[in-house]
Amino acid sequence: MRAYTQGRDATCRWPGCTIPATQCQLDHRIEYHQGGPTSPDNLVNLCQHHHNIKTDRRVHYISTPSPAPSPGSTETAPTN
């Protein structure tokens, strides 16, 4: 799964981040403890900095029609 998602994403999925996916952490779009599967459709590569921002709940995923948004799409938004 890691090799597949690294090939698919190429870089950290945070918009504008260029950290190579090979240096990133896998993140569940739908949290594992909320029933999110550990599958390529629910996993994206985030660098440690952006993964921490997401984990700290300072941002959240915006639902998209496809399970994994295309590279470069805006998939996170600040929470209020």
Side-chain angles (χ1 to χ4, degrees), residues 52-64:
N52 289 344
I53 290 172
K54 190 261 182 172
T55 301
D56 291 345
R57 300 178 194 266
R58 291 183 274 166
V59 296
H60 64 276
Y61 285 102
I62 296 172
S63 296
T64 60

Side-chain angles (χ1 to χ4, degrees), residues 10-32:
T11 63
C12 171
R13 294 298 291 272
W14 190 276
C17 187
T18 60
I19 301 292
T22 55
Q23 297 176 23
C24 292
Q25 301 169 355
L26 288 175
D27 179 58
H28 286 82
R29 294 186 73 214
I30 300 170
E31 302 278 348
Y32 179 78

